Amino acid sequence: MSIAPSSPQQLTLTLTNGGHTAVVFTVGGNAADGSGSGSTATVQPGGSQSITLGAASDGGYDYTVTADIGDGFERRFAGRSYPA
């Protein structure tokens, strides 16, 4: 999994599945982006999928990613994106 700025108000999150069964990732917005909304992505074994996420007007972002793999997988991505 990786996250990279694609513009000051957008981020690209790449979800990768190195396992042997499909994984459903859930991406939820926390406080900084103001959305609080969530989305899901199903990634097939050996595959990857990119998702575009928004950042706040000041470039701030705060997202939590979970996966339905049964081991409590959870990663939080928070920070600020600055213009180049």
Side-chain angles (χ1 to χ4, degrees):
M1 179 175 341
S2 64
I3 194 163
S6 52
S7 78
Q9 266 73 43
Q10 289 190 328
L11 305 162
T12 300
L13 174 68
T14 302
L15 305 165
T16 303
N17 178 2
H20 300 290
T21 59
V23 175
V24 177
F25 290 95
T26 301
V27 181
N30 298 317
D33 79 333
S35 72
S37 61
S39 61
T40 60
T42 301
V43 181
Q44 298 303 316
S48 63
Q49 183 172 340
S50 293
I51 299 173
T52 300
L53 303 172
S57 61
D58 66 357
Y61 61 91
D62 188 357
Y63 289 94
T64 298
V65 180
T66 59
D68 70 343
I69 55 178
D71 68 353
F73 178 93
E74 179 177 294
R75 301 292 185 275
R76 186 172 182 180
F77 295 93
R80 187 169 314 276
S81 172
Y82 295 96

